Amino acid sequence: MPKTLTARTILDQLVAFPTVSDQSNLDLIEWVEGYLDDLGVSATRVWNADRSKASLYASVGPEVEGGIILSGHTDVVPVAGQNWSTDPFSVTERDGRLYGRGTCDMKGFDALALTAVPLALERDLKRPLQIALSYDEEVGCLGAPDMIDEMARHLPRAAAAIIGEPSMMRVVTGHKGSTGWNVHVHGHEVHSSMMHKGVNAIMEGAKLIDWANRMNAENRAKTPGALAATFDPPWTTVHVGMIRGGTASNITAKDCRFCVDFRVVPGENGADWDARLQEEIARIEAGMKEVHPDAAITAECRFEMPALVPETDGAAERTVRRLTGDNGSHVVSYGTEAGQFQARGYSAVICGPGDIAQAHQADEYLSLEQFAAGERFIDDVVASLCR
């Protein structure tokens, strides 16, 4: 393996690993470790429980506080069922765009972050560059917390964490928090002609889904607070995106499973929304048990993600505004690892190449223009560490 690779070559390598969240990312992690090792940089893995996946972090430069973290995730969303015109796991350049799963979200930034390492080795850094690559961001930012905790224990505290989610290289200072719940409605099967003696899990689950609709309507009707008003939409949303259940049209459904996700505006407490969900579940469940004592609803929290709250004179925002020249006010409704860095005492901001509208889509792409802007930004980040 050569000592240094171009950002485009690294991107080709990263996209070729099909790191969909339900698969391992270890082949990619091993490749990154090998690349860094050839540069003389050691990396540390932070494993998941069954060691099927790992995050990775590394540091270049003096062991002093005040450095900069470049953080990205290694997983991508599925391509199944999408109509791609190119191989999603091979970068295809066409019409000024780089097509491939993850080019935008967010292996493009990962590739750029890795090009910063040889740049940092060539220069007289006064403060360290730290690289952080996580797993399972797409299913609730599951891999980042342990990685951040390990970095806080073993590396000098960085002054700024830059999370390179696609923002068109704008400085994003806030995002919503979120929680996700797996809901299982346990019914009681009878023939549908005697449905009053059974408990239809689908129809009972629909009551909870209707509660979500009512909450969205109520939240939308409220006058948002000053901080919430900057978001689109400027209210907390309750979403159900997957559902399955039942065995036949003439049997009351024994089981119904679906997901309930909250995206909570800063200023509201995610725990309060979780409590409201539990209250509604208890109310519906009580009616089910009046028909049959074994009927029940269980809800398991599958992730919790804190909001990124705009900081007052935050070091990360100040640094990235200086490097990009962007002084606009930008917040996003999607969640990232930035909130997890901030919750652990790091100043954090989002800034990366690409348009979030392209993320998760068939024929996902990153424009060459944005990729080049990202390269210039990375060079400026490294230069700033020499001052």
Side-chain angles (χ1 to χ4, degrees):
M1 186 183 294
K3 285 291 183 183
T4 61
L5 298 174
T6 67
R8 172 59 196 278
T9 300
I10 295 174
L11 179 61
D12 288 347
Q13 292 284 349
L14 298 182
V15 171
F17 295 108
T19 52
V20 177
S21 301
D22 63 355
Q23 301 177 34
S24 174
N25 72 335
L26 293 183
D27 287 345
L28 183 151
I29 292 296
E30 184 175 358
W31 185 89
V32 172
E33 282 179 330
Y35 176 65
L36 294 176
D37 185 64
D38 277 1
L39 294 171
V41 175
S42 62
T44 300
R45 294 190 190 192
V46 182
W47 296 91
N48 69 342
D50 64 5
R51 299 178 75 86
S52 62
K53 299 180 183 181
S55 299
L56 174 148
Y57 68 86
S59 183
V60 181
E63 294 187 9
V64 297
E65 295 189 348
I68 293 176
I69 299 169
L70 299 178
S71 176
H73 61 82
T74 61
D75 59 316
V76 296
V77 297
V79 300
Q82 294 186 331
N83 185 24
W84 282 73
S85 64
T86 63
D87 179 355
F89 297 110
S90 178
V91 179
T92 300
E93 182 175 337
R94 187 177 70 236
D95 300 326
R97 297 171 175 176
L98 299 171
Y99 290 89
R101 176 55 89 220
T103 52
C104 178
D105 183 20
M106 61 179 301
K107 290 179 176 179
F109 181 81
D110 293 346
L112 295 170
L114 291 172
T115 66
V117 175
L119 291 176
L121 292 169
E122 294 167 2
R123 300 180 187 179
D124 183 22
L125 264 60
K126 301 299 189 295
R127 295 175 291 130
L129 171 75
Q130 297 174 3
I131 304 296
L133 301 177
S134 67
Y135 64 87
D136 280 0
E137 189 273 349
E138 296 290 3
V139 290
C141 289
L142 303 183
D146 288 346
M147 175 187 70
I148 300 168
D149 290 343
E150 286 287 308
M151 294 175 71
R153 280 193 291 268
H154 298 294
L155 297 180
R157 172 74 60 161
I162 302 172
I163 289 75
E165 292 281 358
S167 71
M168 296 296 288
M169 298 308 301
R170 291 190 292 262
V171 182
V172 173
T173 59
H175 67 62
K176 293 183 178 182
S178 60
T179 57
W181 292 84
N182 292 330
V183 177
H184 183 189
V185 184
H186 308 259
H188 177 64
E189 287 182 314
V190 298
H191 193 279
S192 61
S193 65
M194 300 293 291
M195 62 179 291
H196 64 293
K197 294 184 178 181
V199 178
N200 190 317
I202 293 175
M203 297 181 74
E204 297 298 327
K207 295 176 183 178
L208 189 59
I209 295 171
D210 185 58
W211 172 83
N213 286 328
R214 297 198 309 273
M215 293 303 99
N216 286 325
E218 289 181 13
N219 290 346
R220 184 170 187 166
K222 295 176 184 176
T223 300
L227 186 54
T230 61
F231 286 82
D232 181 20
W235 63 82
T236 292
T237 57
V238 192
H239 181 252
V240 176
M242 298 175 63
I243 186 170
R244 68 183 189 276
T247 54
S249 63
N250 61 350
I251 302 174
T252 57
K254 181 180 179 181
D255 296 288
C256 180
R257 293 178 172 87
F258 52 91
C259 302
V260 178
D261 293 349
F262 296 94
R263 293 187 182 270
V264 182
V265 291
E268 294 185 9
N269 191 332
D272 292 341
W273 279 103
D274 294 342
R276 293 181 70 176
L277 174 69
Q278 295 295 340
E279 289 172 4
E280 185 64 14
I281 286 174
R283 188 189 68 79
I284 297 170
E285 185 183 63
M288 295 166 58
K289 286 186 176 296
E290 289 179 359
V291 179
H292 196 281
D294 292 339
I297 302 177
T298 58
E300 176 185 5
C301 185
R302 69 181 191 279
F303 71 83
E304 296 179 85
M305 194 187 314
L308 173 66
V309 181
E311 302 168 5
T312 301
D313 193 33
E317 177 183 352
R318 189 168 62 248
T319 297
V320 180
R321 288 198 188 284
R322 184 175 67 248
L323 296 179
T324 62
D326 175 27
N327 291 313
S329 298
H330 311 290
V331 296
V332 293
S333 291
Y334 58 81
T336 78
E337 297 165 353
Q340 294 171 325
F341 274 98
Q342 188 182 67
R344 287 161 173 77
Y346 290 91
S347 178
V349 73
I350 299 166
C351 186
D355 187 343
I356 192 63
Q358 301 307 321
H360 303 187
Q361 303 298 307
D363 287 347
E364 175 183 348
Y365 70 83
L366 175 65
S367 74
L368 289 172
E369 180 182 17
Q370 279 289 296
F371 200 40
E375 287 189 276
R376 294 190 296 271
F377 174 69
I378 291 297
D379 188 83
D380 290 341
V381 167
V382 176
S384 74
L385 293 169
C386 299
R387 294 192 289 271

